[in-house]
Amino acid sequence: KGDQCSVLGSLVKKLRPGGKMWMGGNCPNSEILKNRTTCLTVTDMTDCLAGWASTAEWQQSRIVLDLEFVLDKELFRSMENRHVQAQGDYLFFGSPYSAFITRL
């Protein structure tokens, strides 16, 4: 998770004030996808960015963020088709989420 936090901090630093970033597909169901990913949960991501925010570098650069988290199935499945199983639904098993990050 430390590497993921480092990458996240590096990407966010590149945002200009008013800039937005989307990170989707976080925490997919690793059993179904048979991958060995490290899940960066919403709490992990929030804690990571709070850690970055406390650094002198971010404070000197006046980096302030707005965070929004949304489940991927809420973003990518239409309301009328949520009760029907569709090809590719395995991508939504578990609780994969998207993070929307805005630099204020």
Side-chain angles (χ1 to χ4, degrees), residues 23-70:
M23 296 184 69
N26 298 294
C27 294
N29 187 316
S30 59
E31 290 179 26
I32 292 173
L33 299 179
K34 302 202 180 341
N35 58 16
R36 295 183 208 150
T37 61
T38 300
C39 176
L40 194 68
T41 65
V42 168
T43 301
D44 294 334
M45 190 175 290
T46 303
D47 290 348
C48 166
L49 291 171
W52 277 106
S54 68
T55 65
E57 179 184 5
W58 275 36
Q59 289 177 3
Q60 289 170 355
S61 299
R62 294 188 174 106
I63 297 175
V64 178
L65 304 175
D66 178 59
L67 304 173
E68 183 178 358
F69 302 101
V70 181

